[in-house]
Amino acid sequence: MNIETARYISNYYHRFFNDKENIAHRHINSLFKLNGEPESTSRYKIYKRKGWITTDKEALELIKNGETEFFINTANRILKEYKSEIFLNNCPNCKKLARTPKARQCRHCGNKWFE
């Protein structure tokens, strides 16, 4: 699976994340928002106190090899377990993945499949 498909599944089907994947995802997003702030800053401490930065070993294990691998592994699991509930909206013209499940215009080739 490529990262584009993994991000698509993670963005639009995140309701299928398990508890540890939710914790890991929130941790990734929080670190992104903190943008490398040191742990000594008050903002970092607030994120940690609210549980947005985790110390959960299982969740951290999921992201130990980086967020790309996390998203690909999680998307593969979701696709395997919930295949009938996942809609990969591929362009009828070029067969590439559309931006969203409801999109009706291809961002790759510009094809439109709406009236």
Side-chain angles (χ1 to χ4, degrees), residues 38-114:
E39 292 182 27
S40 60
T41 64
S42 60
R43 190 167 165 222
Y44 190 97
K45 289 175 184 175
I46 291 169
Y47 274 49
K48 194 162 187 167
R49 187 175 61 238
K50 291 192 177 263
W52 299 337
I53 299 290
T54 189
T55 56
D56 185 302
K57 291 181 194 265
E58 291 177 51
L60 292 173
E61 183 70 23
L62 293 173
I63 59 177
K64 72 176 181 179
N65 294 323
E67 67 181 72
T68 300
E69 186 173 314
F70 165 74
F71 284 116
I72 290 173
N73 291 340
T74 302
N76 279 326
R77 183 197 61 77
I78 290 171
L79 196 56
K80 187 173 104 181
E81 293 178 16
Y82 300 97
K83 187 169 183 69
S84 63
E85 299 179 55
I86 305 294
F87 173 61
L88 297 176
N89 186 12
N90 292 310
C91 172
N93 185 45
C94 72
K95 308 297 185 228
K96 291 185 179 177
L97 193 60
R99 191 175 304 276
T100 72
K102 294 182 179 182
R104 295 292 177 244
Q105 182 172 355
C106 182
R107 64 179 160 163
H108 302 286
C109 71
N111 180 45
K112 299 174 188 170
W113 58 98
F114 59 85

Side-chain angles (χ1 to χ4, degrees), residues 5-22:
T5 305
R7 287 282 189 174
Y8 176 95
I9 291 171
S10 295
N11 286 338
Y12 298 106
Y13 297 99
H14 55 86
R15 66 182 175 268
F16 298 125
F17 280 7
N18 63 35
D19 291 339
K20 297 301 178 181
E21 290 165 345
N22 271 320

